[in-house]
Amino acid sequence: MRRKGKIEFFVFIAWSCVILYCTCIIKSNVIDNLMQIFLLFIMLLFVFLKKINFSLDKVAILFLALIFVSCIPDLFYNSIIDSIIMMLSYILPVIMYICVISYCKNNEMPKATWRIPIVFGIIISLLGITNFSLRFMGLPIGSTLKYVEKFGNYMEFSDYGLGVFASWGTLAGKTLYRIQTYFIEPSKMAMFLIIPFFLLLNAYRDTKNKKNLLGLIFISIAFILTMSRAGIVSIVGSIILERIMLRKKYIVKKRANTYDIVRLIISGAIFIIVSVCLIYFLVFLSKFFPNIEFLSSGITSLEGKANLIRNETVDQNYILAHVISYPFGSGFGSILELNKVTNLANALIFWIMIGGIPALCIIISLMWKLFIEYYIPSINSNSTLQRSLASAFVGLTIHSLSYGTWITHEYLLVIAFMTTIQRNRIKKIGKSYR
């Protein structure tokens, strides 16, 4: 197998890990885990056969440190065996990240890097759009309730392989359906679609290719039909940061300067203001369309006031009391018990609860490094792929504040590609001056 073909296949395996992790294409938990481990083993084998040293960069070290400090409390409070099993699910995507940055360094990223998420994104979009359209028109599309061991719950699958759907309100006497195809819930599908959305958006901006526009339209329609508020806020936030952080000329730079940092802070403040206004606008619309639960469910208090953070996701009083009682976290073994009291869907809250103040310090260091050394230089690159990955990174980061952990396969793979491309470009520029 030629070198170019090897890299293409390696990236294909990496995206296969992501797709299997995100979806219930394989419903059995045991088979799914074995497949993911097998694919990861192939990636490790590729790196080993290439006879190169594994690249343990600062990003990987910070991710591993976050996991490590969060497992220390388990030595005092929880069952070690259960904690280790749960901890391994967070180590696997970090290993995948290490494999990617090791194998792909000093090499141009293959076409599979962007083609696979785009093709898969379009396929699931078309499935979801078809499912929504047929059901909205009242056509007799049957469904079957199946138990998905991987997700631990029953899901209603449409016939003809159109995937899962969920109703959420009515409009003009017709039921509205949220599409989720083979994801655990609509918001998770929206989270994945953020990646092909920005890949196609930037590709169309740069080439004006009608095929890219058509794909972008399919992705956008499906994205809307997921009715994910977190998804909408994530894309809006990423675009806001991009517009403010862009310089007049594309340049290759190693890291952000003081001017960039100031603009990053300003863009963050603008994003918060826009997000609050967006939530208030949705709640305002809910007064005219009370049967559409998407507009108000989870973002209003008992008094009907709008909240930026979902009420069921963040119980502020309980979280504060927990952090005071466990300043160094309560460990991985406490996740199941904590979820019975509050929802740990918010990535920041998740790590603060199980890892405490040390985890918070690591997260701050990690995000600082990712934004200053990789996001800002990438968003100002003349590489379409690099800018797309940078935008997707921000979108996934924001989305995880509603539903995520910041240590998932799709998030780590996007970061791996973004950091690898940036390092390769810096090395290439450095060699040209020798």
Side-chain angles (χ1 to χ4, degrees), residues 1 37 65 81 83 164 167 227-228 232 236 257 270 273 281 283 285 308 336 380 396 420:
M1 189 184 294
I37 292 173
I81 296 178
S83 302
V164 184
S167 61
M227 300 186 192
S228 171
I232 295 172
V236 170
N257 55 29
I270 293 175
I273 294 171
F281 177 69
V283 174
L285 287 179
L308 181 59
L336 295 178
N380 283 289
L396 296 176
T420 300

Side-chain angles (χ1 to χ4, degrees), residues 97 118 132 151 207 219 401:
Y97 169 88
I118 288 176
F132 175 88
F151 294 152
T207 65
I219 295 289
L401 290 172

Side-chain angles (χ1 to χ4, degrees), residues 116-177:
I116 293 174
I118 288 176
V119 170
F120 181 71
I122 291 175
I123 290 173
I124 59 175
S125 294
L126 291 175
L127 288 176
I129 293 170
T130 301
N131 197 0
F132 175 88
S133 301
L134 295 177
R135 291 186 179 280
F136 189 76
M137 290 186 294
L139 296 178
I141 303 299
S143 62
T144 305
L145 193 65
K146 299 179 182 179
Y147 180 72
V148 181
E149 184 185 13
K150 176 180 178 177
F151 294 152
N153 57 11
Y154 284 91
M155 301 175 73
E156 192 169 4
F157 286 82
S158 298
D159 293 341
Y160 313 112
L162 296 176
V164 184
F165 65 95
S167 61
W168 202 0
T170 60
L171 179 65
K174 291 184 177 291
T175 302
L176 291 175
Y177 296 97

Side-chain angles (χ1 to χ4, degrees), residues 171-336:
L171 179 65
K174 291 184 177 291
T175 302
L176 291 175
Y177 296 97
R178 300 184 71 189
I179 63 173
Q180 63 189 85
T181 59
Y182 292 93
F183 292 79
I184 187 172
E185 70 115 278
S187 188
K188 276 295 185 179
M189 179 176 173
M191 186 175 185
F192 181 88
L193 289 179
I194 289 173
I195 302 171
F197 174 85
F198 281 113
L199 287 170
L200 287 166
L201 177 64
N202 283 289
Y204 177 70
R205 283 175 176 172
D206 291 351
T207 65
K208 303 302 179 183
N209 187 300
K210 292 183 179 179
K211 290 183 179 179
N212 292 328
L213 178 60
L214 184 61
L216 181 61
I217 291 172
F218 288 142
I219 295 289
S220 300
I221 293 174
F223 190 89
I224 293 171
L225 293 179
T226 63
M227 300 186 192
S228 171
R229 293 176 302 239
I232 295 172
V233 171
S234 299
I235 283 186
V236 170
S238 184
I239 292 175
I240 288 174
L241 261 67
E242 175 196 0
R243 292 294 94 191
I244 296 177
M245 298 308 304
L246 274 177
R247 291 179 175 269
K248 293 182 179 180
K249 294 182 179 180
Y250 293 129
I251 54 174
V252 178
K253 55 193 301 186
K254 189 173 182 180
R255 58 183 293 128
N257 55 29
T258 304
Y259 178 60
D260 292 322
I261 295 173
V262 171
R263 289 191 300 162
L264 181 64
I265 295 172
I266 294 173
S267 61
I270 293 175
F271 161 67
I272 293 174
I273 294 171
V274 172
S275 298
V276 171
C277 291
L278 179 60
I279 296 301
Y280 271 94
F281 177 69
L282 291 177
V283 174
F284 173 76
L285 287 179
S286 69
K287 296 178 181 179
F288 298 94
F289 304 98
N291 292 327
I292 304 180
E293 298 176 28
F294 154 75
L295 297 174
S296 61
S297 178
I299 56 173
T300 54
S301 63
L302 295 175
E303 295 77 22
K305 295 182 179 180
N307 292 318
L308 181 59
I309 304 297
R310 292 171 64 96
N311 296 326
E312 65 267 32
T313 302
V314 180
D315 185 337
Q316 298 176 357
N317 294 330
Y318 177 79
I319 291 170
L320 181 60
H322 183 89
V323 173
I324 293 175
S325 300
Y326 301 94
F328 295 97
S330 54
F332 284 99
S334 67
I335 292 175
L336 295 178

Side-chain angles (χ1 to χ4, degrees), residues 52-112:
I52 60 173
N53 295 324
F54 284 92
S55 299
L56 193 63
D57 64 356
K58 291 181 181 179
V59 173
I61 291 172
L62 286 170
F63 273 118
L64 291 173
L66 181 60
I67 296 171
F68 176 73
V69 300
S70 299
C71 74
I72 292 177
D74 290 315
L75 299 173
F76 305 96
Y77 306 123
N78 308 304
S79 168
I80 299 300
I81 296 178
D82 293 340
S83 302
I84 290 176
I85 293 174
M86 195 165 292
M87 181 184 67
L88 286 174
S89 65
Y90 293 94
I91 290 180
L92 291 178
V94 179
I95 295 176
M96 181 195 69
Y97 169 88
I98 295 172
C99 288
V100 172
I101 64 172
S102 300
Y103 193 80
C104 296
K105 66 180 178 181
N106 301 324
N107 290 287
E108 185 177 348
M109 299 308 297
K111 294 179 180 179

